[in-house]
Amino acid sequence: MIDPLLLTDFYKTIHHKCYVEGLTKLVSYWTPRMSRKENMNKVVMFGLQSFIKKYLIEYFNENFFNVSKKEIIKEYKRVICNTMGDIAADTFHIEKLHDLGYLPIQIKAVQEGTRVNIKTPMIEITNTHDDFAWLVNYLETFMSCNIWQPMASATIAYRYREIMERYFDLTVENGDVTKSCGDFSMRGFSSIESAQVSSAGHLLSFTGTATISSILYLEKYYNCNIENEVVGIGTPSTEHSVMCSYGTDELKAYKRLINEVFPSGILSIVSDTYDYWNIITNILPILKQDILNRDGKIIIRGDSGDPIKIICGDSGAPQNSPAYKGTVELLWEIFGGQINSKGYKVLNSHIGAIYGDSITVERCEEICNKLMQKGFAVSNCTFGIGSYTYQYNTRDTFGFALKATHAIINGEEKFIFKDPKTDIGKFKKSQKGMCYVYKNGDDIVYKDELTIKEAEEYKDNLLEIVFKDGKLIKDYSLKEIRNKLYGKF
């Protein structure tokens, strides 16, 4: 395993030598500085607790404090001397940290599940020992690369949930909005860990996921248990290799899958392997009674084409053709259903639709709107949200950064800040001094330019101690976080 003090950028390794003389305390704040996403002006706080447990506690103990100092220093010097030169390979500060035996760091944060306004600090980090002010921002890279992804994905998932809730309120009578969107993104991520934390962010707003390990991640780090609560659920589904194994005899494939392999329960069948519209208009009518006689639901999954047109119909296609009508209308014509109390058509409970290819926030909203315009409840189709949504993001999607704002130098408090004149939009301007974060109506805002004493006088500061001197202070559960985000999940 790698020494955690090598899990950073090269330039961090010399900063202990570069700070002003007399620096005994540094305070930095993690802030979403801007949004590159429409209608997403608040960021969901999520992922810090798992980072603390997994890395600041477990990883540091196993791979630094519980390893001999001689071994730590030997490896550190081997790496730094051979990459940046001997002058950069000072280790006195690392030896002192090892001798101390714990991380002399305090982290305050808003409660996980809180939606924090852009430009408002979410996390405060400082040192608790005068000799380790250098360590505060040394941890920036390590922390940043682990927490921006779950926050970004949780924020985007919240936006999907907002859309689905609005259309559920308009068109659905008794549906469960938490099942309306599933996470299909794992195969599009760059690592197992990235997929886990992203899907965990998704699971704050929904219960459906294809990423099994995200559920285990939440059980390990967020105090939940699938044996007594819904953390996440999967759906039995086929893929193209399954359908192709039958050749082009799709009737045989469907008949066996529906009657023999899964004679009951939910089964999602990918249906565009050869001729999607033929499946719906010719094969499903033959199997109509088999489907209606099942104790369960067959879900038809399209996987190619324009999702809006596939689900809702294409007005540019020949009138009354299958493409013109779209999946949901065709299923209604074959299987029927009922009109709910809100006046919208709901497919027979034995049949449904799902689409999981290239779904975006914008397409999700347009599909919901078109279904409603056609007189259908939006619960007739669920969405699989993939890496097109969750992987096409960076740390800059919400401008996350950890910046130093306060210091004690030779016994005096100093407000420090960043304010580049070349930064036209003031995107990179940081806070000054200590910060007080508070609720103002529906917003989470802040006041800065405070001394340590002034900040401590605000007893309603939403920044609470979650980690101090190697120990976890706050330990939230998934249920608490979901309820914080939604009132009641």
Side-chain angles (χ1 to χ4, degrees):
M1 299 292 282
I2 299 172
D3 172 0
L5 293 182
L6 292 173
L7 294 175
T8 190
D9 299 312
F10 268 119
Y11 77 147
K12 295 285 188 186
T13 63
I14 66 157
H15 291 171
H16 67 287
K17 299 162 69 78
C18 300
Y19 282 116
V20 65
E21 291 183 349
L23 178 70
T24 56
K25 190 174 185 65
L26 194 66
V27 183
S28 294
Y29 288 93
W30 172 268
T31 306
R33 299 176 295 180
M34 55 98 73
S35 175
R36 298 180 190 272
K37 296 283 187 180
E38 189 175 351
N39 296 315
M40 296 185 214
N41 295 314
K42 294 182 181 180
V43 171
V44 176
M45 170 63 184
F46 178 64
L48 176 63
Q49 180 167 297
S50 57
F51 169 70
I52 289 172
K53 288 183 176 182
K54 184 174 184 177
Y55 288 111
L56 297 190
I57 297 175
E58 294 173 13
Y59 195 94
F60 255 95
N61 285 339
E62 291 175 12
N63 300 289
F64 184 76
F65 293 115
N66 293 342
V67 178
S68 73
K69 183 166 65 173
K70 182 179 179 181
E71 190 176 339
I72 289 288
I73 298 308
K74 180 182 177 182
E75 175 64 4
Y76 185 88
K77 284 189 172 182
R78 185 187 76 85
V79 172
I80 302 302
C81 287
N82 286 292
T83 53
M84 289 208 300
D86 293 352
I87 193 172
D90 168 49
T91 60
F92 180 68
H93 61 306
I94 295 174
E95 294 177 48
K96 288 188 71 173
L97 178 60
H98 195 278
D99 290 341
L100 188 66
Y102 64 89
L103 276 180
I105 290 291
Q106 175 180 281
I107 299 176
K108 291 184 176 182
V110 299
Q111 182 178 337
E112 301 216 15
T114 303
R115 294 179 65 234
V116 178
N117 292 63
I118 296 296
K119 296 188 181 299
T120 296
M122 305 170 80
I123 301 168
E124 173 192 297
I125 179 169
T126 188
N127 56 299
T128 59
H129 189 296
D130 288 353
D131 292 340
F132 297 98
W134 63 268
L135 184 58
V136 174
N137 266 50
Y138 195 101
L139 294 172
E140 175 192 9
T141 307
F142 194 22
M143 184 168 80
S144 178
C145 76
N146 279 283
I147 68 174
W148 75 258
Q149 180 78 68
M151 290 186 186
S153 294
T155 301
I156 295 167
Y158 184 90
R159 179 62 188 142
Y160 275 99
R161 174 74 179 262
E162 278 186 318
I163 293 167
M164 298 310 299
E165 281 191 345
R166 177 152 56 89
Y167 284 97
F168 263 60
D169 287 344
L170 290 169
T171 70
V172 178
E173 190 174 359
N174 294 310
D176 182 354
V177 72
T178 71
K179 296 180 179 179
S180 61
C181 294
D183 168 45
F184 283 15
S185 65
M186 182 174 179
R187 68 193 57 196
F189 271 95
S190 59
S191 70
I192 296 296
E193 189 170 56
S194 293
Q196 285 177 348
V197 298
S198 174
S199 186
H202 171 89
L203 288 173
L204 300 189
S205 291
F206 301 101
T207 54
T209 183
T211 308
I212 299 170
S213 62
S214 65
I215 296 170
L216 304 178
Y217 162 93
L218 286 169
E219 282 191 316
K220 184 170 184 178
Y221 298 114
Y222 284 95
N223 304 301
C224 55
N225 190 320
I226 58 173
E227 295 174 33
N228 51 43
E229 63 187 299
V230 177
V231 176
I233 54 176
T235 300
S237 309
T238 71
E239 68 173 13
H240 289 105
S241 71
V242 172
M243 309 314 292
C244 289
S245 71
Y246 290 87
T248 57
D249 191 349
E250 295 187 283
L251 176 59
K252 177 184 177 181
Y254 275 71
K255 196 170 185 66
R256 179 171 181 268
L257 290 168
I258 289 167
N259 294 318
E260 299 176 33
V261 181
F262 267 85
S264 63
I266 295 175
L267 177 64
S268 172
I269 304 178
V270 65
S271 302
D272 71 325
T273 307
Y274 302 110
D275 189 341
Y276 183 73
W277 299 123
N278 181 64
I279 289 287
I280 295 179
T281 58
N282 291 318
I283 292 179
L284 290 185
I286 296 172
L287 298 172
K288 178 177 177 179
Q289 287 308 312
D290 298 88
I291 291 170
L292 292 178
N293 291 338
R294 285 181 80 255
D295 179 18
K297 186 175 188 176
I298 295 299
I299 301 172
I300 303 303
R301 178 162 74 91
D303 198 46
S304 55
D306 183 330
I308 300 165
K309 293 176 180 179
I310 298 296
I311 296 167
C312 304
D314 179 4
S315 60
Q319 197 163 0
N320 293 321
S321 67
Y324 179 85
K325 293 179 180 179
T327 302
V328 174
E329 184 175 340
L330 289 171
L331 293 178
W332 174 265
E333 289 181 351
I334 299 165
F335 294 95
Q338 61 182 8
I339 308 295
N340 66 22
S341 62
K342 295 181 179 181
Y344 291 90
K345 298 173 186 175
V346 180
L347 288 171
N348 184 288
S349 62
H350 293 85
I351 195 76
I354 188 170
Y355 204 95
D357 180 60
S358 299
I359 295 295
T360 64
V361 168
E362 294 75 21
R363 286 172 178 163
C364 173
E365 185 153 27
E366 189 169 353
I367 291 166
C368 289
N369 188 44
K370 284 186 178 296
L371 284 175
M372 185 177 72
Q373 289 176 5
K374 293 185 73 169
F376 287 100
V378 299
S379 55
N380 288 304
C381 182
T382 55
F383 301 100
I385 305 172
S387 55
Y388 195 85
T389 284
Y390 288 135
Q391 172 70 352
Y392 276 54
N393 303 294
T394 71
R395 179 179 68 95
D396 291 327
T397 299
F398 295 104
F400 291 117
L402 185 77
K403 297 301 172 188
T405 68
H406 189 276
I408 295 180
I409 302 166
N410 294 319
E412 290 187 39
E413 291 191 57
K414 300 282 187 182
F415 293 173
I416 58 177
F417 62 96
K418 176 182 178 181
D419 188 11
K421 288 187 177 181
T422 50
D423 178 29
I424 298 171
K426 295 299 179 185
F427 153 60
K428 293 193 172 185
K429 183 180 180 180
S430 69
Q431 300 91 11
K432 292 182 186 178
M434 300 296 294
C435 295
Y436 157 55
V437 176
Y438 61 100
K439 190 172 176 62
N440 182 17
D442 292 331
D443 295 318
I444 303 295
V445 294
Y446 75 98
K447 178 179 176 59
D448 64 348
E449 299 193 44
L450 302 171
T451 64
I452 292 174
K453 183 178 180 182
E454 287 171 340
E456 289 175 347
E457 289 174 353
Y458 290 101
K459 301 305 179 186
D460 59 340
N461 195 336
L462 298 180
L463 295 170
E464 299 181 300
I465 299 175
V466 295
F467 174 84
K468 187 173 183 179
D469 293 339
K471 293 183 172 58
L472 187 73
I473 306 300
K474 292 276 188 180
D475 197 2
Y476 299 111
S477 68
L478 174 63
K479 183 177 180 179
E480 285 178 294
I481 295 167
R482 282 172 165 173
N483 288 342
K484 179 69 176 177
L485 194 54
Y486 290 103
K488 185 175 182 182
F489 186 70

PDB file of all heavy atoms in Angstrom, residues 101-127:
ATOM      1  N   GLY A 101       1.511  10.240  16.431  1.00  0.00           N
ATOM      2  CA  GLY A 101       0.671   9.048  16.485  1.00  0.00           C
ATOM      3  C   GLY A 101      -0.771   9.232  16.062  1.00  0.00           C
ATOM      4  O   GLY A 101      -1.553   8.273  16.124  1.00  0.00           O
ATOM      5  N   TYR A 102      -1.141  10.420  15.654  1.00  0.00           N
ATOM      6  CA  TYR A 102      -2.508  10.652  15.175  1.00  0.00           C
ATOM      7  C   TYR A 102      -2.505  11.877  14.270  1.00  0.00           C
ATOM      8  O   TYR A 102      -1.537  12.648  14.263  1.00  0.00           O
ATOM      9  CB  TYR A 102      -3.477  10.859  16.341  1.00  0.00           C
ATOM     10  CG  TYR A 102      -3.205  12.096  17.176  1.00  0.00           C
ATOM     11  CD1 TYR A 102      -3.776  13.331  16.852  1.00  0.00           C
ATOM     12  CD2 TYR A 102      -2.368  12.040  18.290  1.00  0.00           C
ATOM     13  CE1 TYR A 102      -3.516  14.472  17.607  1.00  0.00           C
ATOM     14  CE2 TYR A 102      -2.101  13.167  19.053  1.00  0.00           C
ATOM     15  CZ  TYR A 102      -2.684  14.386  18.703  1.00  0.00           C
ATOM     16  OH  TYR A 102      -2.418  15.518  19.437  1.00  0.00           O
ATOM     17  N   LEU A 103      -3.589  12.064  13.526  1.00  0.00           N
ATOM     18  CA  LEU A 103      -3.708  13.240  12.661  1.00  0.00           C
ATOM     19  C   LEU A 103      -4.188  14.430  13.487  1.00  0.00           C
ATOM     20  O   LEU A 103      -5.336  14.429  13.965  1.00  0.00           O
ATOM     21  CB  LEU A 103      -4.712  12.975  11.525  1.00  0.00           C
ATOM     22  CG  LEU A 103      -4.205  12.255  10.280  1.00  0.00           C
ATOM     23  CD1 LEU A 103      -5.356  12.103   9.281  1.00  0.00           C
ATOM     24  CD2 LEU A 103      -3.053  12.999   9.635  1.00  0.00           C
ATOM     25  N   PRO A 104      -3.358  15.457  13.674  1.00  0.00           N
ATOM     26  CA  PRO A 104      -3.749  16.620  14.481  1.00  0.00           C
ATOM     27  C   PRO A 104      -4.600  17.592  13.653  1.00  0.00           C
ATOM     28  O   PRO A 104      -4.230  18.736  13.407  1.00  0.00           O
ATOM     29  CB  PRO A 104      -2.397  17.234  14.849  1.00  0.00           C
ATOM     30  CG  PRO A 104      -1.527  16.914  13.670  1.00  0.00           C
ATOM     31  CD  PRO A 104      -1.976  15.576  13.166  1.00  0.00           C
ATOM     32  N   ILE A 105      -5.740  17.090  13.247  1.00  0.00           N
ATOM     33  CA  ILE A 105      -6.626  17.820  12.340  1.00  0.00           C
ATOM     34  C   ILE A 105      -8.039  17.849  12.920  1.00  0.00           C
ATOM     35  O   ILE A 105      -8.510  16.850  13.478  1.00  0.00           O
ATOM     36  CB  ILE A 105      -6.647  17.145  10.948  1.00  0.00           C
ATOM     37  CG1 ILE A 105      -5.310  17.337  10.244  1.00  0.00           C
ATOM     38  CG2 ILE A 105      -7.799  17.650  10.086  1.00  0.00           C
ATOM     39  CD1 ILE A 105      -5.011  18.762   9.822  1.00  0.00           C
ATOM     40  N   GLN A 106      -8.689  18.989  12.754  1.00  0.00           N
ATOM     41  CA  GLN A 106     -10.112  19.103  13.096  1.00  0.00           C
ATOM     42  C   GLN A 106     -10.879  19.471  11.830  1.00  0.00           C
ATOM     43  O   GLN A 106     -10.485  20.373  11.091  1.00  0.00           O
ATOM     44  CB  GLN A 106     -10.346  20.173  14.161  1.00  0.00           C
ATOM     45  CG  GLN A 106     -11.832  20.415  14.470  1.00  0.00           C
ATOM     46  CD  GLN A 106     -12.026  21.483  15.522  1.00  0.00           C
ATOM     47  OE1 GLN A 106     -11.858  21.204  16.709  1.00  0.00           O
ATOM     48  NE2 GLN A 106     -12.365  22.685  15.108  1.00  0.00           N
ATOM     49  N   ILE A 107     -11.958  18.745  11.595  1.00  0.00           N
ATOM     50  CA  ILE A 107     -12.817  19.044  10.450  1.00  0.00           C
ATOM     51  C   ILE A 107     -14.220  19.346  10.954  1.00  0.00           C
ATOM     52  O   ILE A 107     -14.808  18.569  11.709  1.00  0.00           O
ATOM     53  CB  ILE A 107     -12.860  17.869   9.456  1.00  0.00           C
ATOM     54  CG1 ILE A 107     -11.470  17.575   8.895  1.00  0.00           C
ATOM     55  CG2 ILE A 107     -13.834  18.171   8.312  1.00  0.00           C
ATOM     56  CD1 ILE A 107     -11.418  16.365   7.981  1.00  0.00           C
ATOM     57  N   LYS A 108     -14.728  20.487  10.533  1.00  0.00           N
ATOM     58  CA  LYS A 108     -16.127  20.839  10.760  1.00  0.00           C
ATOM     59  C   LYS A 108     -16.850  20.790   9.426  1.00  0.00           C
ATOM     60  O   LYS A 108     -16.262  21.094   8.382  1.00  0.00           O
ATOM     61  CB  LYS A 108     -16.256  22.246  11.355  1.00  0.00           C
ATOM     62  CG  LYS A 108     -15.755  22.387  12.777  1.00  0.00           C
ATOM     63  CD  LYS A 108     -16.027  23.809  13.283  1.00  0.00           C
ATOM     64  CE  LYS A 108     -15.624  23.976  14.732  1.00  0.00           C
ATOM     65  NZ  LYS A 108     -15.930  25.353  15.228  1.00  0.00           N
ATOM     66  N   ALA A 109     -18.123  20.449   9.450  1.00  0.00           N
ATOM     67  CA  ALA A 109     -18.872  20.380   8.194  1.00  0.00           C
ATOM     68  C   ALA A 109     -20.353  20.542   8.454  1.00  0.00           C
ATOM     69  O   ALA A 109     -20.837  20.298   9.568  1.00  0.00           O
ATOM     70  CB  ALA A 109     -18.616  19.038   7.508  1.00  0.00           C
ATOM     71  N   VAL A 110     -21.072  20.975   7.422  1.00  0.00           N
ATOM     72  CA  VAL A 110     -22.527  20.954   7.513  1.00  0.00           C
ATOM     73  C   VAL A 110     -22.965  19.500   7.465  1.00  0.00           C
ATOM     74  O   VAL A 110     -22.239  18.631   6.972  1.00  0.00           O
ATOM     75  CB  VAL A 110     -23.185  21.755   6.361  1.00  0.00           C
ATOM     76  CG1 VAL A 110     -22.773  23.215   6.394  1.00  0.00           C
ATOM     77  CG2 VAL A 110     -22.859  21.146   4.999  1.00  0.00           C
ATOM     78  N   GLN A 111     -24.137  19.208   7.984  1.00  0.00           N
ATOM     79  CA  GLN A 111     -24.613  17.824   8.037  1.00  0.00           C
ATOM     80  C   GLN A 111     -24.739  17.250   6.628  1.00  0.00           C
ATOM     81  O   GLN A 111     -25.190  17.912   5.698  1.00  0.00           O
ATOM     82  CB  GLN A 111     -25.975  17.746   8.729  1.00  0.00           C
ATOM     83  CG  GLN A 111     -26.488  16.315   8.855  1.00  0.00           C
ATOM     84  CD  GLN A 111     -27.816  16.222   9.596  1.00  0.00           C
ATOM     85  OE1 GLN A 111     -28.160  17.105  10.375  1.00  0.00           O
ATOM     86  NE2 GLN A 111     -28.562  15.157   9.333  1.00  0.00           N
ATOM     87  N   GLU A 112     -24.332  16.001   6.475  1.00  0.00           N
ATOM     88  CA  GLU A 112     -24.482  15.357   5.166  1.00  0.00           C
ATOM     89  C   GLU A 112     -25.970  15.261   4.829  1.00  0.00           C
ATOM     90  O   GLU A 112     -26.807  14.965   5.679  1.00  0.00           O
ATOM     91  CB  GLU A 112     -23.817  13.976   5.169  1.00  0.00           C
ATOM     92  CG  GLU A 112     -22.328  14.080   5.495  1.00  0.00           C
ATOM     93  CD  GLU A 112     -21.455  13.086   4.748  1.00  0.00           C
ATOM     94  OE1 GLU A 112     -21.901  12.485   3.759  1.00  0.00           O
ATOM     95  OE2 GLU A 112     -20.291  12.933   5.166  1.00  0.00           O
ATOM     96  N   GLY A 113     -26.281  15.558   3.569  1.00  0.00           N
ATOM     97  CA  GLY A 113     -27.672  15.640   3.137  1.00  0.00           C
ATOM     98  C   GLY A 113     -28.171  17.069   3.061  1.00  0.00           C
ATOM     99  O   GLY A 113     -29.280  17.312   2.585  1.00  0.00           O
ATOM    100  N   THR A 114     -27.363  18.024   3.504  1.00  0.00           N
ATOM    101  CA  THR A 114     -27.722  19.443   3.413  1.00  0.00           C
ATOM    102  C   THR A 114     -27.443  19.949   2.007  1.00  0.00           C
ATOM    103  O   THR A 114     -26.406  19.642   1.420  1.00  0.00           O
ATOM    104  CB  THR A 114     -26.900  20.285   4.420  1.00  0.00           C
ATOM    105  OG1 THR A 114     -27.101  19.778   5.732  1.00  0.00           O
ATOM    106  CG2 THR A 114     -27.309  21.752   4.369  1.00  0.00           C
ATOM    107  N   ARG A 115     -28.369  20.743   1.468  1.00  0.00           N
ATOM    108  CA  ARG A 115     -28.151  21.388   0.168  1.00  0.00           C
ATOM    109  C   ARG A 115     -27.607  22.790   0.429  1.00  0.00           C
ATOM    110  O   ARG A 115     -28.279  23.641   1.006  1.00  0.00           O
ATOM    111  CB  ARG A 115     -29.449  21.447  -0.639  1.00  0.00           C
ATOM    112  CG  ARG A 115     -29.953  20.068  -1.052  1.00  0.00           C
ATOM    113  CD  ARG A 115     -31.255  20.159  -1.828  1.00  0.00           C
ATOM    114  NE  ARG A 115     -31.060  20.852  -3.105  1.00  0.00           N
ATOM    115  CZ  ARG A 115     -31.771  21.899  -3.499  1.00  0.00           C
ATOM    116  NH1 ARG A 115     -32.710  22.424  -2.718  1.00  0.00           N
ATOM    117  NH2 ARG A 115     -31.544  22.452  -4.681  1.00  0.00           N
ATOM    118  N   VAL A 116     -26.376  22.988   0.005  1.00  0.00           N
ATOM    119  CA  VAL A 116     -25.649  24.215   0.323  1.00  0.00           C
ATOM    120  C   VAL A 116     -25.564  25.106  -0.911  1.00  0.00           C
ATOM    121  O   VAL A 116     -25.223  24.649  -1.996  1.00  0.00           O
ATOM    122  CB  VAL A 116     -24.228  23.876   0.827  1.00  0.00           C
ATOM    123  CG1 VAL A 116     -23.446  25.145   1.110  1.00  0.00           C
ATOM    124  CG2 VAL A 116     -24.311  23.004   2.080  1.00  0.00           C
ATOM    125  N   ASN A 117     -25.863  26.386  -0.724  1.00  0.00           N
ATOM    126  CA  ASN A 117     -25.799  27.327  -1.838  1.00  0.00           C
ATOM    127  C   ASN A 117     -24.395  27.445  -2.409  1.00  0.00           C
ATOM    128  O   ASN A 117     -23.404  27.353  -1.680  1.00  0.00           O
ATOM    129  CB  ASN A 117     -26.265  28.721  -1.389  1.00  0.00           C
ATOM    130  CG  ASN A 117     -27.736  28.770  -1.059  1.00  0.00           C
ATOM    131  OD1 ASN A 117     -28.190  28.104  -0.137  1.00  0.00           O
ATOM    132  ND2 ASN A 117     -28.485  29.549  -1.804  1.00  0.00           N
ATOM    133  N   ILE A 118     -24.323  27.651  -3.721  1.00  0.00           N
ATOM    134  CA  ILE A 118     -23.051  27.934  -4.371  1.00  0.00           C
ATOM    135  C   ILE A 118     -22.390  29.121  -3.675  1.00  0.00           C
ATOM    136  O   ILE A 118     -23.049  30.092  -3.305  1.00  0.00           O
ATOM    137  CB  ILE A 118     -23.269  28.248  -5.867  1.00  0.00           C
ATOM    138  CG1 ILE A 118     -23.832  27.026  -6.593  1.00  0.00           C
ATOM    139  CG2 ILE A 118     -21.978  28.723  -6.525  1.00  0.00           C
ATOM    140  CD1 ILE A 118     -22.918  25.823  -6.633  1.00  0.00           C
ATOM    141  N   LYS A 119     -21.082  29.024  -3.471  1.00  0.00           N
ATOM    142  CA  LYS A 119     -20.221  30.015  -2.821  1.00  0.00           C
ATOM    143  C   LYS A 119     -20.244  29.942  -1.293  1.00  0.00           C
ATOM    144  O   LYS A 119     -19.537  30.691  -0.618  1.00  0.00           O
ATOM    145  CB  LYS A 119     -20.514  31.454  -3.283  1.00  0.00           C
ATOM    146  CG  LYS A 119     -20.222  31.690  -4.758  1.00  0.00           C
ATOM    147  CD  LYS A 119     -20.328  33.158  -5.130  1.00  0.00           C
ATOM    148  CE  LYS A 119     -20.067  33.383  -6.610  1.00  0.00           C
ATOM    149  NZ  LYS A 119     -18.725  32.967  -7.032  1.00  0.00           N
ATOM    150  N   THR A 120     -21.060  29.045  -0.728  1.00  0.00           N
ATOM    151  CA  THR A 120     -21.092  28.884   0.727  1.00  0.00           C
ATOM    152  C   THR A 120     -20.173  27.736   1.147  1.00  0.00           C
ATOM    153  O   THR A 120     -20.238  26.651   0.577  1.00  0.00           O
ATOM    154  CB  THR A 120     -22.520  28.590   1.221  1.00  0.00           C
ATOM    155  OG1 THR A 120     -23.349  29.720   0.942  1.00  0.00           O
ATOM    156  CG2 THR A 120     -22.548  28.310   2.717  1.00  0.00           C
ATOM    157  N   PRO A 121     -19.301  27.945   2.141  1.00  0.00           N
ATOM    158  CA  PRO A 121     -18.408  26.873   2.607  1.00  0.00           C
ATOM    159  C   PRO A 121     -19.189  25.687   3.162  1.00  0.00           C
ATOM    160  O   PRO A 121     -20.169  25.868   3.894  1.00  0.00           O
ATOM    161  CB  PRO A 121     -17.592  27.545   3.715  1.00  0.00           C
ATOM    162  CG  PRO A 121     -17.748  29.008   3.512  1.00  0.00           C
ATOM    163  CD  PRO A 121     -19.088  29.203   2.884  1.00  0.00           C
ATOM    164  N   MET A 122     -18.760  24.497   2.832  1.00  0.00           N
ATOM    165  CA  MET A 122     -19.394  23.266   3.301  1.00  0.00           C
ATOM    166  C   MET A 122     -18.561  22.578   4.374  1.00  0.00           C
ATOM    167  O   MET A 122     -19.092  21.867   5.224  1.00  0.00           O
ATOM    168  CB  MET A 122     -19.588  22.294   2.135  1.00  0.00           C
ATOM    169  CG  MET A 122     -20.348  22.863   0.966  1.00  0.00           C
ATOM    170  SD  MET A 122     -20.294  21.779  -0.481  1.00  0.00           S
ATOM    171  CE  MET A 122     -21.533  20.579  -0.062  1.00  0.00           C
ATOM    172  N   ILE A 123     -17.237  22.764   4.307  1.00  0.00           N
ATOM    173  CA  ILE A 123     -16.311  22.065   5.194  1.00  0.00           C
ATOM    174  C   ILE A 123     -15.233  23.036   5.651  1.00  0.00           C
ATOM    175  O   ILE A 123     -14.735  23.838   4.858  1.00  0.00           O
ATOM    176  CB  ILE A 123     -15.644  20.875   4.468  1.00  0.00           C
ATOM    177  CG1 ILE A 123     -16.684  19.877   3.964  1.00  0.00           C
ATOM    178  CG2 ILE A 123     -14.637  20.168   5.384  1.00  0.00           C
ATOM    179  CD1 ILE A 123     -16.124  18.841   2.998  1.00  0.00           C
ATOM    180  N   GLU A 124     -14.893  22.957   6.937  1.00  0.00           N
ATOM    181  CA  GLU A 124     -13.777  23.731   7.503  1.00  0.00           C
ATOM    182  C   GLU A 124     -12.746  22.742   8.022  1.00  0.00           C
ATOM    183  O   GLU A 124     -13.082  21.780   8.707  1.00  0.00           O
ATOM    184  CB  GLU A 124     -14.278  24.605   8.649  1.00  0.00           C
ATOM    185  CG  GLU A 124     -13.187  25.334   9.414  1.00  0.00           C
ATOM    186  CD  GLU A 124     -13.720  25.954  10.702  1.00  0.00           C
ATOM    187  OE1 GLU A 124     -14.587  26.827  10.617  1.00  0.00           O
ATOM    188  OE2 GLU A 124     -13.273  25.518  11.800  1.00  0.00           O
ATOM    189  N   ILE A 125     -11.475  22.982   7.710  1.00  0.00           N
ATOM    190  CA  ILE A 125     -10.408  22.102   8.183  1.00  0.00           C
ATOM    191  C   ILE A 125      -9.272  22.943   8.761  1.00  0.00           C
ATOM    192  O   ILE A 125      -8.898  23.970   8.195  1.00  0.00           O
ATOM    193  CB  ILE A 125      -9.910  21.171   7.051  1.00  0.00           C
ATOM    194  CG1 ILE A 125      -8.769  20.262   7.546  1.00  0.00           C
ATOM    195  CG2 ILE A 125      -9.515  21.938   5.813  1.00  0.00           C
ATOM    196  CD1 ILE A 125      -8.412  19.149   6.558  1.00  0.00           C
ATOM    197  N   THR A 126      -8.764  22.514   9.909  1.00  0.00           N
ATOM    198  CA  THR A 126      -7.671  23.229  10.566  1.00  0.00           C
ATOM    199  C   THR A 126      -6.822  22.250  11.358  1.00  0.00           C
ATOM    200  O   THR A 126      -7.219  21.095  11.579  1.00  0.00           O
ATOM    201  CB  THR A 126      -8.206  24.345  11.478  1.00  0.00           C
ATOM    202  OG1 THR A 126      -7.112  25.139  11.943  1.00  0.00           O
ATOM    203  CG2 THR A 126      -8.949  23.777  12.683  1.00  0.00           C
ATOM    204  N   ASN A 127      -5.647  22.710  11.794  1.00  0.00           N
ATOM    205  CA  ASN A 127      -4.780  21.877  12.625  1.00  0.00           C
ATOM    206  C   ASN A 127      -5.060  22.123  14.099  1.00  0.00           C
ATOM    207  O   ASN A 127      -5.476  23.205  14.506  1.00  0.00           O
ATOM    208  CB  ASN A 127      -3.305  22.146  12.319  1.00  0.00           C
ATOM    209  CG  ASN A 127      -2.917  23.602  12.476  1.00  0.00           C
ATOM    210  OD1 ASN A 127      -3.464  24.457  11.775  1.00  0.00           O
ATOM    211  ND2 ASN A 127      -1.966  23.900  13.364  1.00  0.00           N
TER     212      ASN A 127
END
